[in-house]
């Protein structure tokens, strides 16, 4: 756990230490939370390439004390030229998870950086883009040590990635995963980041860089076109808002599952989760059962916000939540169908000395996304659109310019006593579950942030690298906990002590006194840093 004093200019947490350090350096230079996050986002796109990149999407939830919380939706839609018929005409019954035809959505994250820096400018942010991207450019050109996480992920998924266009040149050494600790460079990506500095972030969509990207996409047979890029702009949204007994919680609007995260915590508040011992059989059981209720709502309603049949904010009302809270059984596990599957992502948080806070998430979906690396720019393109269904009646049916469902969701809380908290994690179905664990452990039971994050966690369903739908428990849970959950009817599977399956979480709290508390996930390569 990291504590800092009132003189602190801010704190950052990330699942890779170099990204947190990049953010911290910006705070030390007098930058604000948004500027620090852009530095972290660009850096982690280089140093954690299996989890995210500039060929993917991003989401922001931003708090400025005394002002309404705002959100940025930086997720790209499906290309104008793709549809269910597009794939059926090619003899496909589903969208492939790798290769050019899996890369069917626009990459939105760079536009999100641009939108966020517009807000930063209104805060008085003045640091040049060259400074914000400086660390990322350095690490791309000069190299970084390969993490154990990157080595393991590359090795595990090598069969499906090795033959994708450009992948071997960018991410392999003699057709093998680069070993942990070896020097890893991405010189083409470094030059692309330098072009963003010289030409501006908008050039990714409407400039010289966009021309190079568009030419590569066309050459590789990726259905996203130069025109799809030019039409795209990230959008500022009003985030979803849950009124909790301890304060106000915020999360991202659909197409993300931010609503799911808020519903779980809202249900737990209504059944008074604080009456049970933390990390007891009853505590874990009730969060798992609240998760099942929230997933029911998710699978019935959540899709592209422009295609939803219900107001997602209305799903957080007492009237809407009451029957779902009543459906939670304290004495038995209700049946469970299946989750939404994997999500290889990074969550990061920054709060500056003025109390301005950013909760941020950035992703390319599966490990290395589509696996396709654009030859001129070194950009690895996401495969988020492979989550679309080719069933025209499905909630998440593929349509031209429609946004796919996202498991991504960055969380933020403003407590009644004046504290501000940013928190989140990577990990598909696990994101809302881990958010519920961290929030309740810290806010309801008063555990220190680091304890709340380090303590053993669980996962109902699937996340990155997983196919089973069991209730997975880290092996640090006692045999009594495992047995108790099994007796309640849960299909329990024991996983590793500190297992990446349950995600890379983090959190920061800013206190009214001006002090900070931060925690990072020992399951990651991360750190929480303050100055």
């Amino acid at each position: 756990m990291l504590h800092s004093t009132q003189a602190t200019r801010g704190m950052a947490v990330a699942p890779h230490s170099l990204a947190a350090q990049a953010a911290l350096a910006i705070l030390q230079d007098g930058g604000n939370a948004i500027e620090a996050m852009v530095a972290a986002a660009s850096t982690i796109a280089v140093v954690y390439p299996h989890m995210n990149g500039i060929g993917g999407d991003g989401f922001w939830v931003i708090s400025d004390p005394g002002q309404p919380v705002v959100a940025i939706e930086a997720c790209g839609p499906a290309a104008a030229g793709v549809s269910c018929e597009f794939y059926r005409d090619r003899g496909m019954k589903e969208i492939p998870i790798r290769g050019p035809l899996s890369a069917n959505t626009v990459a939105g994250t760079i536009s999100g950086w641009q939108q966020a820096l517009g807000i930063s400018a209104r805060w008085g942010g003045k640091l040049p883009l060259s400074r914000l991207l400086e660390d990322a450019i350095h690490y791309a050109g000069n190299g970084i040590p390969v993490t154990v996480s990157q080595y393991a992920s590359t090795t595990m998924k090598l069969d499906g990635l090795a033959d994708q266009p450009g992948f071997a040149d960018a991410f392999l050494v003699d057709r093998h995963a680069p070993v942990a600790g070896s020097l890893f460079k991405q010189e083409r990506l470094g030059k692309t980041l330098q072009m963003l500095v010289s030409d501006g972030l908008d050039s990714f969509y409407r400039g010289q860089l966009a021309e190079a990207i568009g030419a590569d996409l066309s050459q590789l047979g990726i259905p996203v076109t130069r025109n799809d890029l030019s039409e795209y702009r990230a959008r500022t949204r009003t985030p979803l808002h849950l009124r909790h007994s301890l304060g106000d919680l915020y999360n991202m609007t659909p197409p993300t599952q931010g609503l799911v995260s808020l519903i779980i915590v809202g249900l737990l508040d209504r059944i008074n989760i604080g009456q049970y011992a933390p990390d007891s059989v009853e505590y874990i059981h009730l969060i798992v059962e609240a998760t099942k209720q929230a997933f029911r709502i998710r699978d019935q309603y959540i899709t592209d916000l422009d295609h939803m049949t219900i107001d997602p904010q209305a799903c957080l009302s007492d009237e809407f939540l009451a029957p779902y809270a009543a459906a939670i059984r304290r004495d038995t596990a209700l049946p469970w169908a299946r989750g939404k599957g994997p999500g290889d992502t990074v969550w990061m948080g920054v709060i500056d000395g003025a109390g301005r806070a950013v909760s941020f998430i950035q992703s390319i979906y599966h490990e290395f996304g589509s696996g396709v690396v654009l030859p001129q720019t070194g950009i690895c393109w996401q495969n988020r659109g492979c989550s679309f269904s080719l069933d025209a009646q499905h909630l998440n049916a593929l349509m031209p310019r429609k946004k796919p469902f996202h498991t991504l969701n960055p969380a933020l809380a403003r407590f009644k006593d004046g504290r501000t908290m940013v928190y989140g994690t990577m990990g598909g179905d696990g994101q809302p579950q881990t958010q519920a664990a961290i929030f309740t452990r810290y806010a309801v039971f008063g555990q220190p942030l680091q304890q709340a994050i380090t303590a053993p966690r669980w996962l109902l369903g699937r996340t990155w690298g997983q196919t089973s739908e069991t209730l997975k428990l880290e092996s640090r849970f006692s045999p009594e906990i495992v047995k108790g959950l099994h007796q309640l009817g849960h299909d329990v599977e024991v996983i590793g002590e500190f297992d990446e399956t349950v995600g890379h979480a983090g959190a920061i709290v800013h206190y009214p006194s001006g002090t900070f508390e931060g925690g990072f996930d020992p399951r990651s390569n991360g750190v929480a840093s303050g100055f």
Side-chain angles (χ1 to χ4, degrees):
M1 177 172 59
L2 180 65
H3 287 281
S4 291
T5 67
Q6 189 167 357
T8 298
R9 295 182 185 176
M11 184 174 285
V13 61
H16 195 294
S17 59
L18 295 180
Q21 291 172 21
L24 187 66
I26 296 300
L27 296 174
Q28 290 173 318
D29 286 353
N32 60 47
I34 288 176
E35 291 172 317
M37 187 56 78
V38 170
S42 59
T43 298
I44 206 160
V46 173
V47 302
Y48 237 31
H50 54 308
M51 291 291 181
N52 79 121
I54 66 172
D57 290 333
F59 298 95
W60 301 67
V61 176
I62 301 169
S63 172
D64 183 8
Q67 301 298 319
V69 176
V70 299
I72 297 173
E73 175 200 89
C75 59
V82 296
S83 63
C84 294
E85 291 73 22
F86 174 90
Y87 289 93
R88 290 195 192 114
D89 289 347
R90 288 160 175 77
M92 298 178 181
K93 295 182 179 179
E94 58 186 22
I95 301 170
I97 64 170
R98 303 290 191 188
L101 293 183
S102 73
N104 58 16
T105 60
V106 174
T109 198
I110 297 296
S111 187
W113 298 0
Q114 186 177 16
Q115 284 275 352
L117 288 174
I119 296 173
S120 168
R122 296 195 290 274
W123 290 355
K126 297 179 180 178
L127 292 182
L129 189 61
S130 58
R131 176 65 191 92
L132 304 185
L133 270 57
E134 181 179 331
D135 283 17
I137 292 169
H138 171 80
Y139 294 131
N142 293 283
I144 50 101
V146 173
T147 61
V148 172
S149 179
Q150 181 180 338
Y151 170 75
S153 184
T154 309
T155 301
M156 180 172 59
K157 299 297 181 179
L158 189 59
D159 287 346
L161 290 168
D163 293 326
Q164 300 304 333
F167 185 84
D169 287 342
F171 295 116
L172 301 181
V173 177
D174 296 327
R175 302 283 295 181
H176 293 90
V179 299
S182 62
L183 191 65
F184 174 67
K185 297 181 180 182
Q186 299 174 84
E187 294 174 346
R188 284 175 297 159
L189 183 60
K191 292 177 181 177
T192 296
L193 292 169
Q194 187 60 58
M195 285 185 68
L196 289 172
V197 169
S198 59
D199 297 347
L201 295 176
D202 198 61
S203 66
F204 190 96
Y205 303 94
R206 285 164 285 276
Q208 182 179 355
L209 180 56
E211 292 181 7
I213 293 171
D216 281 350
L217 295 172
S218 177
Q219 175 193 337
L220 294 169
I222 292 174
V224 178
T225 67
R226 175 74 175 79
N227 191 58
D228 291 321
L229 293 174
S230 67
E231 290 183 351
Y232 180 72
R233 285 177 174 82
R235 299 175 67 174
T236 300
R237 297 281 195 185
T238 299
L240 298 177
H241 173 209
L242 172 71
R243 297 190 186 279
H244 190 275
S245 60
L246 296 174
D248 297 296
L249 277 62
Y250 300 88
N251 214 308
M252 194 67 215
T253 53
T256 81
Q257 65 176 346
L259 178 61
V260 175
S261 295
L262 293 178
I263 286 173
I264 293 172
V265 177
L267 292 174
L268 297 175
D269 199 29
R270 282 155 179 79
I271 64 174
N272 189 19
I273 191 66
Q275 67 182 296
Y276 303 97
D279 297 320
S280 62
V281 170
E282 295 84 1
Y283 168 82
I284 298 169
H285 167 71
L286 289 172
I287 295 184
V288 171
E289 293 306 297
T291 298
K292 292 176 182 177
Q293 297 299 321
F295 282 177
R296 282 177 56 198
I297 298 167
R298 177 188 72 179
D299 296 343
Q300 184 175 357
Y301 294 115
I302 297 179
T303 184
D304 184 334
L305 189 58
D306 295 333
H307 292 259
M308 285 188 65
T309 59
I310 190 172
D311 176 6
Q313 182 60 49
C315 297
L316 297 170
S317 67
D318 288 335
E319 295 77 12
F320 185 90
L321 291 177
Y324 293 96
I328 294 173
R329 294 280 301 274
R330 288 166 169 77
D331 60 345
T332 188
L334 292 177
W336 162 245
R338 63 191 305 253
K340 289 288 189 179
D344 305 315
T345 304
V346 294
W347 176 88
M348 301 185 292
V350 175
I351 305 181
D352 64 28
R356 295 170 297 209
V358 175
S359 185
F360 173 79
I361 204 158
Q362 188 167 265
S363 175
I364 50 175
Y365 198 30
H366 291 69
E367 302 93 337
F368 295 104
S370 67
V372 178
V373 180
L374 308 190
Q376 295 185 68
T377 61
I379 298 171
C380 183
W381 210 263
Q382 66 181 351
N383 65 336
R384 176 63 59 174
C386 76
S387 66
F388 278 121
S389 171
L390 296 185
D391 177 357
Q393 305 306 312
H394 193 278
L395 183 66
N396 196 36
L398 175 62
M399 294 174 59
R401 298 187 176 91
K402 184 179 179 182
K403 293 167 185 169
F405 172 81
H406 283 259
T407 54
L408 316 180
N409 62 113
L412 186 147
R414 286 175 167 178
F415 293 95
K416 290 179 178 178
D417 62 10
R419 289 172 293 164
T420 298
M421 177 182 183
V422 293
Y423 59 108
T425 183
M426 52 78 83
D429 287 338
Q431 289 188 35
Q433 302 178 60
T434 293
Q435 286 186 21
I438 292 171
F439 180 83
T440 54
R441 283 168 170 169
Y442 168 78
V444 177
F445 296 105
Q447 294 182 4
L449 272 186
Q450 190 61 63
Q451 178 182 337
I453 295 167
T454 303
R457 294 204 299 266
W458 63 90
L459 168 74
L460 174 68
R462 296 179 292 154
T463 185
W464 68 301
Q466 296 290 319
T467 57
S468 66
E469 299 287 352
T470 55
L471 174 60
K472 300 165 181 67
L473 299 176
E474 287 189 309
S475 61
R476 288 178 293 138
F477 280 113
S478 70
E480 290 75 22
I481 294 291
V482 175
K483 180 180 179 181
L485 290 167
H486 181 74
Q487 288 175 339
L488 285 170
H490 295 283
D491 181 12
V492 178
E493 176 185 352
V494 177
I495 56 177
E497 288 186 331
F498 288 90
D499 202 306
E500 280 192 304
T501 295
V502 300
H504 300 158
I508 304 171
V509 175
H510 180 248
Y511 290 84
S513 63
T515 59
F516 290 74
E517 181 180 359
F520 75 100
D521 203 320
R523 303 162 184 85
S524 72
N525 299 98
V527 70
S529 300
F531 170 74

